[in-house]
Amino acid sequence: MGQYDVIVIGGGPAGYTAALYCARAALSTLVLEAMAPGGQMGTTDQIDNYPGFADGINGFELAMNMQKQAERFGAESVFAQVSSMDLKGPEKKIYTEEGDTYTCHAVILALGASPRELGLPEERTLRGRGVSYCATCDGMFYKEKTVVVVGGGDTAAADTVFLSKICKKIYLVHRRDTLRASKAYLKPLEACENVEFVWDSVVEAILADGNVTGVRVKNKKTGETREIACDGIFVAVGNIPNTALVADAVKLTPNGYIDAGETTETNLPGVFAAGDVRQKVLRQVVTAVADGAVASHMAEEYLSGI
C-alpha cells in the first residue's frame, strides 16, 4: 500500500506526460499501467507526425523515452492491472488485481481507447504489415499505392479524403448503400476521383503473403464475393474507450468517452481525464501529451486548495 499526491492510471503518452509534469512540480506521483508503456503508440512501428523527430521514431522507443523522462524526475511506475477504484471523497483508493491498494488525493485517468476491429482471425497478426487503424498516422507509407478503407461514418469518410491526396486508388467498403458520415464530409469525398465505393459489402478475409495483398469482400444483398488487390487496409469502424473501470463513477458521453472538457476535469473533484479516453475532436499522440500537461496543471491546482 502506498500514499501519493497523484496517481495516473495508464502509461500511454497522456499518462507519462502527466506524470512528468506532476513529478517536476514536486508531487509524489505513481503511474499504474497494466501492460507496457505507450498504449496504442507503443505498437506503432513508425511515428512521423510527432514534432521533434525529423526522421520519425519507433512508437515503443518513444514510449520508453517518455517513461524514463518521467521517472528521472521522481515518478514511479508499477505494472499492475487496476481492478477497481474508489474516486469519491478527498482520499481516492486504487485497488489492483495483485492485491495492492494505493491511495492519493488526485487521480488522472489516462485509460486510452482501443480501435474497434473487424474481428477477422488474421487481422491482429497483420497489424503494422498492411492493417492500420489510423490514416493520419500511416497514410504516407502508402503513397501512390492502392488501399481499402472499411467504414461508413465520419472517420471513414475523413480518412478516405485524406488518403485520396496520397494514394493512387482507394476502395471504400461499407456494409450499407449510403454513408452515415455527416454532410460536411460527403461533399469533399464525392469530389475524390480516385475513390471507388463498394456498397452493401463486408470484408470477409484479409489476403496476405507476409504483408497485405488484398481483401475478399462479400455483397450482403447478392451474396457474391470479389477480391480486391491492395497494399493496405485502413479499418475505420470506430474506437472503444477503455472506461469499464469508471463507468459507474464518472460521467460519460453517449458514445462512452469520459465527459471532460479542455480543462480535463470530470464530474468528480480531484479526478481528471487525459488522452484518448476523453471526449475530443482529435486523438493523436500530440493531443494526448497536451492533455497530460493540462491534467497535471489542474491536479496541482486542486491539490493546493485542499
Side-chain angles (χ1 to χ4, degrees):
M1 183 171 182
Q3 171 73 48
Y4 297 86
D5 293 321
V6 181
I7 293 179
V8 181
I9 313 296
Y16 270 114
T17 301
L20 168 65
Y21 275 73
C22 286
R24 291 185 76 247
L27 300 174
S28 57
T29 306
L30 172 68
V31 177
L32 289 172
E33 165 59 43
M35 300 293 288
Q40 290 189 59
M41 177 183 72
T43 65
T44 304
D45 287 338
Q46 180 81 1
I47 295 176
D48 284 322
N49 58 355
Y50 187 72
F53 298 92
D55 298 319
I57 186 170
N58 175 271
F60 183 72
E61 181 184 353
L62 181 57
M64 294 303 296
N65 287 343
M66 289 183 177
Q67 179 189 358
K68 291 176 183 177
Q69 189 175 9
E71 291 176 349
R72 180 163 69 92
F73 290 97
E76 298 178 32
S77 298
V78 170
F79 293 93
Q81 177 66 57
V82 175
S83 57
S84 63
M85 292 182 263
D86 182 359
L87 300 177
K88 296 180 180 179
E91 185 175 78
K92 325 293 184 186
K93 293 184 178 180
I94 313 297
Y95 305 94
T96 71
E97 290 185 355
E98 289 74 12
D100 296 314
T101 302
Y102 301 91
T103 61
C104 61
H105 295 294
V107 170
I108 297 175
L109 301 171
L111 298 162
S114 303
R116 194 182 301 276
E117 299 178 346
L118 297 176
L120 299 173
E122 62 273 22
E123 186 174 355
R124 292 188 179 182
T125 59
L126 291 171
R127 185 168 182 171
R129 291 191 289 154
V131 173
S132 174
Y133 300 86
C134 180
T136 54
C137 304
D138 300 331
M140 285 304 296
F141 295 124
Y142 300 92
K143 188 174 182 179
E144 296 301 319
K145 295 184 178 181
T146 298
V147 299
V148 168
V149 175
V150 183
D154 286 352
T155 300
D159 285 357
T160 302
V161 172
F162 175 81
L163 292 167
S164 71
K165 302 171 185 176
I166 300 169
C167 301
K168 179 175 66 176
K169 175 86 173 183
I170 303 98
Y171 293 91
L172 178 54
V173 178
H174 184 44
R175 58 182 177 171
R176 298 188 178 94
D177 57 3
T178 56
L179 298 179
R180 295 178 290 104
S182 61
K183 292 181 179 179
Y185 292 99
L186 293 180
K187 188 173 182 179
L189 180 59
E190 290 169 354
C192 298
E193 296 181 355
N194 57 343
V195 174
E196 181 177 330
F197 296 93
V198 184
W199 300 116
D200 300 311
S201 299
V202 295
V203 176
E204 267 197 336
I206 302 172
L207 310 177
D209 181 13
N211 295 305
V212 169
T213 59
V215 295
R216 184 170 67 245
V217 299
K218 180 179 181 179
N219 187 292
K220 295 176 64 181
K221 290 185 176 179
T222 66
E224 294 180 358
T225 62
R226 63 180 284 203
E227 292 187 1
I228 300 174
C230 66
D231 302 289
I233 174 172
F234 288 86
V235 181
V237 292
N239 289 298
I240 304 172
N242 301 326
T243 52
L245 279 172
V246 295
D248 296 328
V250 299
K251 183 180 178 182
L252 303 181
T253 65
N255 54 356
Y257 291 90
I258 296 178
D259 189 354
E262 292 302 313
T263 65
T264 74
E265 295 171 288
T266 71
N267 59 302
L268 296 180
V271 180
F272 308 89
D276 286 2
V277 77
R278 181 176 75 83
Q279 178 63 36
K280 58 200 299 184
V281 174
L282 181 66
R283 293 181 174 85
Q284 293 281 282
V285 176
V286 71
T287 62
V289 299
D291 276 5
V294 173
S296 66
H297 172 75
M298 298 307 297
E300 186 179 1
E301 280 199 352
Y302 170 78
L303 291 170
S304 67
I306 63 173

Short mmCIF file of all heavy atoms in Angstrom, two decimals, residues 203-258:
data_model
loop_
_atom_site.label_atom_id
_atom_site.label_comp_id
_atom_site.label_asym_id
_atom_site.label_seq_id
_atom_site.Cartn_x
_atom_site.Cartn_y
_atom_site.Cartn_z
N VAL A 203 -15.94 -7.02 -45.39
CA VAL A 203 -14.68 -7.72 -45.63
C VAL A 203 -14.75 -9.08 -44.96
O VAL A 203 -14.92 -9.19 -43.75
CB VAL A 203 -13.48 -6.91 -45.10
CG1 VAL A 203 -12.19 -7.70 -45.27
CG2 VAL A 203 -13.38 -5.57 -45.82
N GLU A 204 -14.64 -10.12 -45.77
CA GLU A 204 -14.68 -11.49 -45.26
C GLU A 204 -13.31 -12.00 -44.85
O GLU A 204 -13.19 -12.81 -43.94
CB GLU A 204 -15.24 -12.42 -46.34
CG GLU A 204 -16.72 -12.64 -46.28
CD GLU A 204 -17.14 -13.86 -47.09
OE1 GLU A 204 -16.42 -14.26 -48.01
OE2 GLU A 204 -18.20 -14.42 -46.78
N ALA A 205 -12.28 -11.54 -45.56
CA ALA A 205 -10.94 -12.03 -45.28
C ALA A 205 -9.92 -11.00 -45.76
O ALA A 205 -10.16 -10.26 -46.71
CB ALA A 205 -10.69 -13.36 -45.96
N ILE A 206 -8.79 -10.99 -45.06
CA ILE A 206 -7.66 -10.17 -45.48
C ILE A 206 -6.65 -11.11 -46.12
O ILE A 206 -6.22 -12.09 -45.50
CB ILE A 206 -7.03 -9.43 -44.29
CG1 ILE A 206 -8.08 -8.55 -43.61
CG2 ILE A 206 -5.85 -8.57 -44.76
CD1 ILE A 206 -7.59 -7.92 -42.31
N LEU A 207 -6.28 -10.82 -47.33
CA LEU A 207 -5.35 -11.68 -48.06
C LEU A 207 -3.93 -11.17 -47.85
O LEU A 207 -3.69 -9.96 -47.84
CB LEU A 207 -5.69 -11.67 -49.55
CG LEU A 207 -7.17 -11.94 -49.88
CD1 LEU A 207 -7.41 -11.84 -51.38
CD2 LEU A 207 -7.61 -13.30 -49.35
N ALA A 208 -2.99 -12.09 -47.68
CA ALA A 208 -1.63 -11.66 -47.36
C ALA A 208 -0.61 -12.71 -47.78
O ALA A 208 -0.92 -13.90 -47.85
CB ALA A 208 -1.49 -11.37 -45.86
N ASP A 209 0.58 -12.21 -48.02
CA ASP A 209 1.75 -13.05 -48.25
C ASP A 209 2.89 -12.42 -47.44
O ASP A 209 3.80 -11.82 -47.99
CB ASP A 209 2.09 -13.11 -49.74
CG ASP A 209 3.29 -14.00 -50.02
OD1 ASP A 209 3.70 -14.74 -49.11
OD2 ASP A 209 3.85 -13.92 -51.14
N GLY A 210 2.77 -12.53 -46.13
CA GLY A 210 3.67 -11.80 -45.24
C GLY A 210 3.12 -10.43 -44.95
O GLY A 210 3.00 -10.02 -43.80
N ASN A 211 2.78 -9.67 -45.99
CA ASN A 211 2.12 -8.38 -45.88
C ASN A 211 0.79 -8.46 -46.63
O ASN A 211 0.55 -9.37 -47.43
CB ASN A 211 2.99 -7.27 -46.47
CG ASN A 211 4.28 -7.08 -45.69
OD1 ASN A 211 4.26 -6.88 -44.49
ND2 ASN A 211 5.41 -7.18 -46.38
N VAL A 212 -0.07 -7.49 -46.37
CA VAL A 212 -1.39 -7.46 -47.01
C VAL A 212 -1.24 -7.36 -48.52
O VAL A 212 -0.48 -6.55 -49.04
CB VAL A 212 -2.23 -6.28 -46.48
CG1 VAL A 212 -3.48 -6.07 -47.32
CG2 VAL A 212 -2.61 -6.50 -45.02
N THR A 213 -2.00 -8.21 -49.22
CA THR A 213 -2.02 -8.17 -50.69
C THR A 213 -3.41 -7.88 -51.23
O THR A 213 -3.57 -7.60 -52.41
CB THR A 213 -1.53 -9.50 -51.28
OG1 THR A 213 -2.38 -10.56 -50.81
CG2 THR A 213 -0.09 -9.78 -50.88
N GLY A 214 -4.42 -7.98 -50.37
CA GLY A 214 -5.77 -7.71 -50.83
C GLY A 214 -6.80 -8.08 -49.79
O GLY A 214 -6.46 -8.50 -48.67
N VAL A 215 -8.07 -7.94 -50.17
CA VAL A 215 -9.18 -8.33 -49.30
C VAL A 215 -10.22 -9.08 -50.12
O VAL A 215 -10.31 -8.90 -51.34
CB VAL A 215 -9.84 -7.11 -48.62
CG1 VAL A 215 -8.88 -6.41 -47.68
CG2 VAL A 215 -10.40 -6.13 -49.66
N ARG A 216 -10.96 -9.93 -49.45
CA ARG A 216 -12.11 -10.56 -50.08
C ARG A 216 -13.36 -9.98 -49.45
O ARG A 216 -13.52 -10.02 -48.22
CB ARG A 216 -12.08 -12.08 -49.90
CG ARG A 216 -13.23 -12.79 -50.64
CD ARG A 216 -13.08 -14.29 -50.68
NE ARG A 216 -13.21 -14.88 -49.36
CZ ARG A 216 -12.22 -15.51 -48.72
NH1 ARG A 216 -11.02 -15.60 -49.28
NH2 ARG A 216 -12.42 -16.05 -47.54
N VAL A 217 -14.23 -9.42 -50.27
CA VAL A 217 -15.44 -8.78 -49.77
C VAL A 217 -16.66 -9.54 -50.27
O VAL A 217 -16.64 -10.14 -51.34
CB VAL A 217 -15.52 -7.29 -50.19
CG1 VAL A 217 -14.34 -6.51 -49.62
CG2 VAL A 217 -15.59 -7.15 -51.69
N LYS A 218 -17.71 -9.48 -49.47
CA LYS A 218 -18.97 -10.15 -49.82
C LYS A 218 -20.09 -9.14 -49.85
O LYS A 218 -20.26 -8.36 -48.90
CB LYS A 218 -19.28 -11.25 -48.80
CG LYS A 218 -20.58 -12.01 -49.08
CD LYS A 218 -20.80 -13.10 -48.05
CE LYS A 218 -22.07 -13.88 -48.35
NZ LYS A 218 -22.29 -14.96 -47.35
N ASN A 219 -20.85 -9.15 -50.94
CA ASN A 219 -22.02 -8.30 -51.04
C ASN A 219 -23.15 -8.92 -50.22
O ASN A 219 -23.55 -10.07 -50.46
CB ASN A 219 -22.44 -8.16 -52.50
CG ASN A 219 -23.55 -7.14 -52.68
OD1 ASN A 219 -24.68 -7.35 -52.24
ND2 ASN A 219 -23.23 -6.04 -53.35
N LYS A 220 -23.66 -8.17 -49.24
CA LYS A 220 -24.66 -8.70 -48.32
C LYS A 220 -26.00 -8.96 -49.00
O LYS A 220 -26.77 -9.79 -48.54
CB LYS A 220 -24.84 -7.74 -47.16
CG LYS A 220 -23.61 -7.59 -46.28
CD LYS A 220 -23.82 -6.55 -45.20
CE LYS A 220 -24.93 -6.95 -44.24
NZ LYS A 220 -25.15 -5.93 -43.20
N LYS A 221 -26.26 -8.25 -50.09
CA LYS A 221 -27.56 -8.41 -50.77
C LYS A 221 -27.55 -9.55 -51.78
O LYS A 221 -28.52 -10.30 -51.89
CB LYS A 221 -27.95 -7.10 -51.45
CG LYS A 221 -28.32 -5.99 -50.47
CD LYS A 221 -28.80 -4.75 -51.22
CE LYS A 221 -29.26 -3.68 -50.23
NZ LYS A 221 -29.73 -2.44 -50.93
N THR A 222 -26.46 -9.69 -52.52
CA THR A 222 -26.40 -10.69 -53.58
C THR A 222 -25.68 -11.96 -53.16
O THR A 222 -25.83 -13.01 -53.79
CB THR A 222 -25.70 -10.12 -54.82
OG1 THR A 222 -24.31 -9.86 -54.50
CG2 THR A 222 -26.37 -8.83 -55.28
N GLY A 223 -24.86 -11.85 -52.12
CA GLY A 223 -24.06 -13.00 -51.69
C GLY A 223 -22.80 -13.20 -52.50
O GLY A 223 -22.02 -14.11 -52.21
N GLU A 224 -22.59 -12.38 -53.51
CA GLU A 224 -21.41 -12.51 -54.36
C GLU A 224 -20.15 -12.04 -53.62
O GLU A 224 -20.20 -11.12 -52.81
CB GLU A 224 -21.59 -11.70 -55.64
CG GLU A 224 -22.71 -12.22 -56.54
CD GLU A 224 -22.83 -11.38 -57.81
OE1 GLU A 224 -22.07 -10.40 -57.95
OE2 GLU A 224 -23.69 -11.72 -58.65
N THR A 225 -19.04 -12.69 -53.93
CA THR A 225 -17.76 -12.28 -53.36
C THR A 225 -16.83 -11.81 -54.47
O THR A 225 -16.96 -12.23 -55.62
CB THR A 225 -17.10 -13.43 -52.59
OG1 THR A 225 -16.82 -14.50 -53.48
CG2 THR A 225 -17.99 -13.90 -51.45
N ARG A 226 -15.91 -10.94 -54.09
CA ARG A 226 -14.89 -10.49 -55.02
C ARG A 226 -13.62 -10.21 -54.25
O ARG A 226 -13.65 -9.95 -53.04
CB ARG A 226 -15.32 -9.21 -55.76
CG ARG A 226 -15.53 -8.02 -54.85
CD ARG A 226 -15.96 -6.75 -55.58
NE ARG A 226 -14.86 -6.11 -56.30
CZ ARG A 226 -14.86 -4.81 -56.61
NH1 ARG A 226 -15.89 -4.04 -56.29
NH2 ARG A 226 -13.84 -4.29 -57.25
N GLU A 227 -12.49 -10.32 -54.94
CA GLU A 227 -11.21 -9.99 -54.32
C GLU A 227 -10.72 -8.66 -54.86
O GLU A 227 -10.80 -8.40 -56.07
CB GLU A 227 -10.19 -11.10 -54.60
CG GLU A 227 -10.52 -12.40 -53.88
CD GLU A 227 -9.42 -13.44 -54.02
OE1 GLU A 227 -8.38 -13.14 -54.67
OE2 GLU A 227 -9.59 -14.55 -53.48
N ILE A 228 -10.24 -7.83 -53.95
CA ILE A 228 -9.71 -6.52 -54.32
C ILE A 228 -8.23 -6.50 -53.95
O ILE A 228 -7.87 -6.66 -52.78
CB ILE A 228 -10.44 -5.39 -53.58
CG1 ILE A 228 -11.94 -5.40 -53.93
CG2 ILE A 228 -9.83 -4.04 -53.91
CD1 ILE A 228 -12.75 -4.40 -53.11
N ALA A 229 -7.38 -6.36 -54.95
CA ALA A 229 -5.94 -6.27 -54.68
C ALA A 229 -5.62 -4.91 -54.06
O ALA A 229 -6.10 -3.86 -54.54
CB ALA A 229 -5.16 -6.46 -55.97
N CYS A 230 -4.85 -4.90 -53.00
CA CYS A 230 -4.48 -3.64 -52.35
C CYS A 230 -3.19 -3.84 -51.56
O CYS A 230 -2.77 -4.97 -51.28
CB CYS A 230 -5.59 -3.13 -51.44
SG CYS A 230 -5.93 -4.18 -50.02
N ASP A 231 -2.59 -2.73 -51.19
CA ASP A 231 -1.35 -2.76 -50.41
C ASP A 231 -1.60 -2.59 -48.92
O ASP A 231 -0.73 -2.88 -48.10
CB ASP A 231 -0.42 -1.65 -50.89
CG ASP A 231 -0.10 -1.78 -52.38
OD1 ASP A 231 0.64 -2.71 -52.73
OD2 ASP A 231 -0.61 -0.97 -53.17
N GLY A 232 -2.79 -2.09 -48.58
CA GLY A 232 -3.09 -1.86 -47.18
C GLY A 232 -4.58 -1.72 -46.96
O GLY A 232 -5.34 -1.44 -47.90
N ILE A 233 -4.99 -1.93 -45.70
CA ILE A 233 -6.38 -1.77 -45.33
C ILE A 233 -6.46 -0.90 -44.08
O ILE A 233 -5.76 -1.15 -43.09
CB ILE A 233 -7.06 -3.14 -45.10
CG1 ILE A 233 -8.48 -2.96 -44.56
CG2 ILE A 233 -6.24 -4.04 -44.21
CD1 ILE A 233 -9.27 -4.25 -44.50
N PHE A 234 -7.29 0.14 -44.16
CA PHE A 234 -7.50 1.04 -43.03
C PHE A 234 -8.87 0.75 -42.43
O PHE A 234 -9.89 0.93 -43.09
CB PHE A 234 -7.39 2.50 -43.47
CG PHE A 234 -5.98 2.92 -43.79
CD1 PHE A 234 -5.45 2.71 -45.06
CD2 PHE A 234 -5.18 3.50 -42.82
CE1 PHE A 234 -4.15 3.08 -45.36
CE2 PHE A 234 -3.87 3.87 -43.11
CZ PHE A 234 -3.36 3.66 -44.38
N VAL A 235 -8.88 0.28 -41.20
CA VAL A 235 -10.12 -0.05 -40.51
C VAL A 235 -10.60 1.19 -39.77
O VAL A 235 -9.92 1.68 -38.86
CB VAL A 235 -9.91 -1.23 -39.54
CG1 VAL A 235 -11.22 -1.58 -38.84
CG2 VAL A 235 -9.35 -2.44 -40.28
N ALA A 236 -11.77 1.69 -40.16
CA ALA A 236 -12.30 2.92 -39.57
C ALA A 236 -13.73 2.69 -39.13
O ALA A 236 -14.68 3.32 -39.62
CB ALA A 236 -12.22 4.06 -40.58
N VAL A 237 -13.91 1.75 -38.21
CA VAL A 237 -15.24 1.41 -37.74
C VAL A 237 -15.43 1.82 -36.28
O VAL A 237 -16.29 1.29 -35.57
CB VAL A 237 -15.52 -0.10 -37.91
CG1 VAL A 237 -15.61 -0.45 -39.38
CG2 VAL A 237 -14.45 -0.95 -37.22
N GLY A 238 -14.62 2.78 -35.84
CA GLY A 238 -14.81 3.34 -34.51
C GLY A 238 -13.77 2.88 -33.49
O GLY A 238 -12.96 1.99 -33.76
N ASN A 239 -13.82 3.50 -32.35
CA ASN A 239 -12.94 3.16 -31.22
C ASN A 239 -13.78 2.75 -30.03
O ASN A 239 -14.95 3.11 -29.92
CB ASN A 239 -12.06 4.35 -30.84
CG ASN A 239 -10.99 4.63 -31.87
OD1 ASN A 239 -10.13 3.80 -32.14
ND2 ASN A 239 -11.05 5.81 -32.47
N ILE A 240 -13.16 2.01 -29.14
CA ILE A 240 -13.83 1.61 -27.90
C ILE A 240 -13.07 2.24 -26.73
O ILE A 240 -11.93 1.84 -26.44
CB ILE A 240 -13.84 0.09 -27.75
CG1 ILE A 240 -14.51 -0.57 -28.96
CG2 ILE A 240 -14.56 -0.32 -26.46
CD1 ILE A 240 -14.39 -2.08 -28.97
N PRO A 241 -13.63 3.26 -26.07
CA PRO A 241 -12.94 3.87 -24.93
C PRO A 241 -12.82 2.88 -23.79
O PRO A 241 -13.75 2.12 -23.51
CB PRO A 241 -13.83 5.05 -24.56
CG PRO A 241 -15.18 4.71 -25.11
CD PRO A 241 -14.94 3.87 -26.33
N ASN A 242 -11.67 2.88 -23.13
CA ASN A 242 -11.41 1.93 -22.04
C ASN A 242 -11.96 2.50 -20.72
O ASN A 242 -11.20 2.86 -19.82
CB ASN A 242 -9.91 1.65 -21.94
CG ASN A 242 -9.35 1.07 -23.22
OD1 ASN A 242 -10.03 0.32 -23.92
ND2 ASN A 242 -8.12 1.43 -23.54
N THR A 243 -13.27 2.54 -20.63
CA THR A 243 -13.91 3.18 -19.47
C THR A 243 -14.65 2.20 -18.57
O THR A 243 -15.38 2.63 -17.69
CB THR A 243 -14.89 4.27 -19.95
OG1 THR A 243 -15.78 3.71 -20.93
CG2 THR A 243 -14.14 5.44 -20.57
N ALA A 244 -14.48 0.91 -18.78
CA ALA A 244 -15.23 -0.07 -17.99
C ALA A 244 -15.00 0.11 -16.49
O ALA A 244 -15.92 -0.03 -15.68
CB ALA A 244 -14.85 -1.49 -18.41
N LEU A 245 -13.77 0.47 -16.11
CA LEU A 245 -13.44 0.62 -14.69
C LEU A 245 -14.13 1.80 -14.02
O LEU A 245 -14.32 1.80 -12.81
CB LEU A 245 -11.92 0.78 -14.53
CG LEU A 245 -11.06 -0.48 -14.55
CD1 LEU A 245 -9.59 -0.10 -14.58
CD2 LEU A 245 -11.36 -1.35 -13.33
N VAL A 246 -14.49 2.81 -14.82
CA VAL A 246 -15.01 4.04 -14.22
C VAL A 246 -16.42 4.37 -14.69
O VAL A 246 -16.94 5.45 -14.40
CB VAL A 246 -14.08 5.23 -14.53
CG1 VAL A 246 -12.72 5.04 -13.87
CG2 VAL A 246 -13.93 5.43 -16.03
N ALA A 247 -17.05 3.43 -15.40
CA ALA A 247 -18.36 3.71 -15.99
C ALA A 247 -19.41 4.09 -14.95
O ALA A 247 -20.33 4.87 -15.23
CB ALA A 247 -18.83 2.50 -16.79
N ASP A 248 -19.29 3.55 -13.75
CA ASP A 248 -20.26 3.85 -12.69
C ASP A 248 -19.82 4.99 -11.79
O ASP A 248 -20.53 5.33 -10.83
CB ASP A 248 -20.50 2.59 -11.83
CG ASP A 248 -21.12 1.46 -12.63
OD1 ASP A 248 -21.89 1.74 -13.56
OD2 ASP A 248 -20.81 0.29 -12.31
N ALA A 249 -18.68 5.58 -12.08
CA ALA A 249 -18.13 6.61 -11.20
C ALA A 249 -18.13 8.00 -11.83
O ALA A 249 -18.56 8.98 -11.22
CB ALA A 249 -16.71 6.24 -10.76
N VAL A 250 -17.63 8.10 -13.07
CA VAL A 250 -17.55 9.41 -13.72
C VAL A 250 -18.58 9.51 -14.84
O VAL A 250 -19.03 8.51 -15.38
CB VAL A 250 -16.14 9.68 -14.29
CG1 VAL A 250 -15.10 9.66 -13.18
CG2 VAL A 250 -15.79 8.67 -15.37
N LYS A 251 -18.91 10.72 -15.17
CA LYS A 251 -19.90 10.96 -16.23
C LYS A 251 -19.30 10.65 -17.59
O LYS A 251 -18.20 11.10 -17.91
CB LYS A 251 -20.38 12.41 -16.18
CG LYS A 251 -21.46 12.74 -17.20
CD LYS A 251 -21.88 14.19 -17.11
CE LYS A 251 -22.94 14.52 -18.16
NZ LYS A 251 -23.32 15.96 -18.10
N LEU A 252 -20.04 9.88 -18.38
CA LEU A 252 -19.60 9.53 -19.72
C LEU A 252 -20.50 10.19 -20.76
O LEU A 252 -21.64 10.54 -20.49
CB LEU A 252 -19.65 8.01 -19.92
CG LEU A 252 -18.86 7.13 -18.95
CD1 LEU A 252 -19.02 5.66 -19.34
CD2 LEU A 252 -17.39 7.52 -18.93
N THR A 253 -19.97 10.35 -21.97
CA THR A 253 -20.76 10.85 -23.08
C THR A 253 -21.60 9.68 -23.63
O THR A 253 -21.35 8.53 -23.29
CB THR A 253 -19.86 11.39 -24.20
OG1 THR A 253 -19.10 10.30 -24.75
CG2 THR A 253 -18.91 12.46 -23.66
N PRO A 254 -22.58 9.97 -24.48
CA PRO A 254 -23.40 8.88 -25.04
C PRO A 254 -22.59 7.82 -25.77
O PRO A 254 -23.01 6.66 -25.83
CB PRO A 254 -24.35 9.62 -26.00
CG PRO A 254 -24.48 10.99 -25.41
CD PRO A 254 -23.12 11.31 -24.84
N ASN A 255 -21.42 8.18 -26.33
CA ASN A 255 -20.61 7.18 -27.03
C ASN A 255 -19.53 6.57 -26.14
O ASN A 255 -18.62 5.91 -26.63
CB ASN A 255 -20.00 7.76 -28.31
CG ASN A 255 -19.21 9.02 -28.06
OD1 ASN A 255 -19.17 9.53 -26.94
ND2 ASN A 255 -18.57 9.54 -29.09
N GLY A 256 -19.63 6.81 -24.83
CA GLY A 256 -18.81 6.06 -23.89
C GLY A 256 -17.51 6.68 -23.46
O GLY A 256 -16.77 6.10 -22.65
N TYR A 257 -17.18 7.88 -23.96
CA TYR A 257 -15.96 8.55 -23.55
C TYR A 257 -16.20 9.34 -22.25
O TYR A 257 -17.35 9.67 -21.93
CB TYR A 257 -15.46 9.49 -24.64
CG TYR A 257 -14.95 8.77 -25.87
CD1 TYR A 257 -15.80 8.46 -26.92
CD2 TYR A 257 -13.62 8.37 -25.96
CE1 TYR A 257 -15.34 7.77 -28.04
CE2 TYR A 257 -13.16 7.68 -27.08
CZ TYR A 257 -14.02 7.39 -28.10
OH TYR A 257 -13.56 6.70 -29.20
N ILE A 258 -15.13 9.63 -21.53
CA ILE A 258 -15.28 10.41 -20.31
C ILE A 258 -15.63 11.85 -20.68
O ILE A 258 -14.99 12.47 -21.52
CB ILE A 258 -14.00 10.37 -19.46
CG1 ILE A 258 -13.74 8.93 -18.98
CG2 ILE A 258 -14.11 11.31 -18.26
CD1 ILE A 258 -12.47 8.77 -18.18
#
